[in-house]
Each structure stands twice: as structure tokens, then as C-alpha cells.
Amino acid sequence: MYVAVKGGEAAIANAHALLADRRRGDRSVPALRLDQIVEQLALGVDRVMSEGSLYDRELAALAIVQARGDMIEAIFLVRAYRTTLPRFGYTKAIDTGAMLVERRVSATYKDLPGGQLLGPTFDYTHRLLDPELAAGGDVAEPLQRASEAEAMQRVSAILAREGLIEPDGDMPQDHVPGDITREPLEFPMARDIRLQALSRGDEGFLLALGYSTQRGYARNHPFVGEVRIGEVELELDVPELPFAVPLGSVRVTECQMVNQFKGSAKAPPQFTRGYGLVFGQSERKAMAMALCDRALRASEFGEDVVAAAQDEEFVISHSDNVQATGFVEHLKLPHYVDFQAELDLVRRMRAEHDARENAGKAEEKREAAE
């Protein structure tokens, strides 16, 4: 039970003023500009956009500043703003096969059609702090080469030609994708709904669950079939026009995990898929999402559900960091009535316990005197 807190307006106003002061920090230090955050803290901006379900770099940067760098608070701010926006319709499904690729790696084929593109990655850095960054020195321009924009074949298509991987699946013409931002979650979920929830789920939570599947809690042996990062075009069908209207492009990260499957009565031995897709550059999140997606398909393949990562209701119900934050942090709200009730109960229980203990000691003394 909650009770209203009265007479606190002045204290709350002062707390807001102090928050603004701490957010600004030392006035002799130049204030952060949004373009600095967008350009130099791009991966943090991408995470806020992805888990906030809103592709807008400047708004994500503003949320990071307003939240003093607290990513979950920034995600909360972006989601709250998102609810105020009008909705004009749904774009067509993006074609990641036509992506303008910036980074593309595969752990399954060394020499794959289109080649491997390392792109901007921490994978080969030494993880040593670089003091030169603190000095703000000039950075050399990267080497570039001219290349033609061409579609890169997916690694899964190579396996599909041999019939060694499950079919990708065709979307039924009359299928209307669900929308978790407008409809309450219901279990069990269709896979498209589940992927939506995973895509905006907390990166740390999904990473931990994905890690658990590699340590034996789901018994899947994954290979990164492919991770690709790049720009994809968005198109919108307009009823008055006979063609789709291009709206622009967004950067996304896509991961396809390839998992061994020993087969069942309905399917032969083959590889199966785990899929991840997120806004911006976030391959760790996309890989964790793909691991969780495959683990959550256990029932679909007739596998025993024995681990937390395979429990759909557990994973989806606890993956949303905004909901989790709200429930945990609500414990700071006044619970005076509840606590007083429990305090009274504990006092009565303690009094009864002490009375029994005193009675027992008195009985022991009488027996000793006899």
C-alpha cells in the first residue's frame, strides 16, 4: 500500500535544481554538445536508440545528457518521448541482403563470396588505455578503396544450397506482424513478437543468458554464421501510389547464428538458426539476441526445456530494463503502512517467542531445584 507524501514540493524542486547543477558540473568546463555525443559516443547512442525503440541519434544523445550518462534512464526517456509521436504506418520489411555493408565477418567460412570486411571493431585492439586520446590529438584518416555497392550473399544461403540448414521460412501474405508497443504480451508468443521483445531487451541480461547457453545451460553449440553491419533502406507503401516510397536509411546490426541439430521424427539432422537484429552498431547485443532466440526455439525442435534461457516467459518477462528498473526502484517509494504492519507483526512474534523462551527457562529452573 502506498500513501501520499505531503509538503514535499519545495524539497522536490530543490532536488531537481541540484540534479541540474550536478548534470552541468564545473562551469569552467565547456558543456557537451549533442553532435559531440552523436559522433564520439556513437555506440552508447546506438544502445539507447535500440532499447528505446526509436531511431533518432540526436534525441538519444539528448537523453544521455539529461540522464547524466545513465543508459537505462536515457532509454526510459526515449521510450516516454516515443509514446507522444504520431504513427503513420508500417514500413516494408527491410532487406538486409541488400545492405550497404560496412562490416561483415563469419566464423564458419574463411573465404566466402564477397569477402570478410573487418570494419570498425575493437576485436584486434590490445585493450590498453591510450593516453593520447586524453590530449585530443589529430586522428589519421582511414584508408579507403573504391567499391561498387553490391548485395552480399548470406552465409546461410551457402548451407541452404546443400539442404543442410533449416528453411528460412516465408511470411504468409495475410500475416500481420504483432506490435509489442501497442498490444500486451501473451504467452506463448509467435516468433516475430518474441524477436521484437529481444531486440529491445537489456543487453546485459541477454548477454548473460547467451553466455549461459554456451556453458551448457541449453546445450547448444553455436557458430557465428555471419555478423553484418551497415545501412538498409526503408520503404513505405502508400495506397495512392503504385510503388513503395523510400524514406531514408538506417544502420542496423544483423547476426545469424548456426546451431547443430541432431534431427527428430519430423526433421533430418541439419543446422538451425538463431537470429538477432538491432539498431546501430551493436554486434554483442545482436549475437546475444541470436543465442537467446535459438534457445527459446527448443520446444519447436522437440528439445527438452531445462534451462532459464529456454523459458520464454522467464526471458521475455525479465528482459525489459525499463520495467525491471521501475519495479526495483519503486522500493524507494513510501511503504509506511506496509512496514508499520510488518513491524507490529514482528513485535508480536518476538514477544510470543520471548514469552515461550522465558517460560522454558523457568521450567528448567524448577526442575533443577527439585
Side-chain angles (χ1 to χ4, degrees):
M1 177 183 293
Y2 307 118
V3 296
V5 180
K6 298 180 180 179
E9 288 95 346
I12 291 173
N14 289 335
H16 288 170
L18 183 58
L19 173 62
D21 175 75
R22 296 294 170 83
R23 178 167 51 224
R24 177 59 184 87
D26 188 342
R27 304 308 195 269
S28 66
V29 177
L32 282 171
R33 300 194 313 269
L34 298 189
D35 60 336
Q36 291 177 308
I37 297 172
V38 169
E39 295 297 328
Q40 298 177 40
L41 298 178
L43 299 186
V45 168
D46 287 347
R47 179 181 177 185
V48 172
M49 290 195 307
S50 176
E51 297 178 24
S53 301
L54 182 64
Y55 194 93
D56 189 311
R57 296 191 180 279
E58 287 196 355
L59 285 177
L62 174 59
I64 291 172
V65 172
Q66 185 173 335
R68 299 179 65 196
D70 184 332
M71 289 300 179
I72 295 180
E73 181 69 18
I75 292 162
F76 198 163
L77 290 169
V78 167
R79 286 203 199 172
Y81 179 79
R82 185 183 186 278
T83 64
T84 69
L85 300 176
R87 182 173 306 215
F88 301 104
Y90 294 92
T91 62
K92 297 180 66 176
I94 61 174
D95 180 9
T96 56
M99 177 188 293
L100 182 60
V101 176
E102 182 181 31
R103 169 168 164 77
R104 181 212 194 194
V105 294
S106 171
T108 52
Y109 290 98
K110 177 183 176 183
D111 301 312
L112 69 162
Q116 308 232 22
L117 298 175
L118 297 187
T121 176
F122 294 110
D123 288 353
Y124 307 100
T125 62
H126 294 154
R127 266 67 175 201
L128 299 175
L129 287 176
D130 185 357
E132 294 184 5
L133 291 176
D138 293 334
V139 178
E141 291 290 333
L143 296 176
Q144 297 184 359
R145 62 179 174 84
S147 63
E148 297 182 2
E150 58 177 323
M152 288 189 175
Q153 184 184 36
R154 290 191 179 90
V155 168
S156 56
I158 301 174
L159 294 170
R161 284 200 297 268
E162 297 185 59
L164 296 179
I165 193 168
E166 62 168 321
D168 201 3
D170 295 322
M171 187 71 73
Q173 292 291 333
D174 58 348
H175 178 74
V176 178
D179 186 344
I180 64 172
T181 67
R182 289 190 157 192
E183 301 161 3
L185 297 179
E186 294 183 358
F187 299 99
M189 289 178 162
R191 191 178 178 206
D192 60 326
I193 301 289
R194 191 167 65 221
L195 287 171
Q196 286 180 47
L198 291 174
S199 184
R200 73 177 201 163
D202 182 75
E203 178 179 330
F205 180 76
L206 297 183
L207 180 63
L209 286 175
Y211 178 43
S212 75
T213 69
Q214 296 176 267
R215 298 189 65 246
Y217 297 91
R219 305 186 68 80
N220 285 320
H221 190 287
F223 298 91
V224 175
E226 184 176 14
V227 171
R228 58 170 62 191
I229 302 170
E231 302 275 342
V232 292
E233 192 172 67
L234 298 179
E235 294 182 331
L236 178 69
D237 281 326
V238 179
E240 295 79 10
L241 298 175
F243 54 86
V245 177
L247 301 178
S249 61
V250 296
R251 177 180 279 109
V252 297
T253 301
E254 181 185 51
C255 175
Q256 292 215 35
M257 285 286 180
V258 177
N259 296 69
Q260 188 183 58
F261 175 58
K262 64 181 181 181
S264 66
K266 297 181 179 179
Q270 60 185 342
F271 290 107
T272 56
R273 307 169 189 256
Y275 187 74
L277 182 75
V278 296
F279 281 154
Q281 179 177 347
S282 184
E283 55 196 81
R284 185 192 303 118
K285 167 73 176 289
M287 291 172 66
M289 175 181 170
L291 289 170
C292 290
D293 172 52
R294 176 57 183 86
L296 290 170
R297 300 180 67 197
S299 298
E300 181 182 336
F301 294 110
E303 299 168 346
D304 294 332
V305 176
V306 296
Q310 298 172 307
D311 187 327
E312 180 182 77
E313 187 167 351
F314 174 82
V315 173
I316 302 303
S317 296
H318 299 96
S319 65
D320 192 298
N321 53 31
V322 173
Q323 289 184 6
T325 297
F327 207 80
V328 170
E329 293 195 357
H330 98 281
L331 296 173
K332 297 182 292 186
L333 296 175
H335 288 69
Y336 306 138
V337 174
D338 286 349
F339 179 72
Q340 290 299 322
E342 292 205 11
L343 182 61
D344 182 61
L345 176 60
V346 170
R347 283 171 174 163
R348 291 201 313 270
M349 292 168 62
R350 172 60 69 86
E352 292 170 1
H353 173 272
D354 291 346
R356 288 195 301 270
E357 194 172 69
N358 291 336
K361 289 179 179 179
E363 182 65 25
E364 290 175 0
K365 287 181 179 180
R366 282 197 299 271
E367 292 177 354
E370 294 176 355

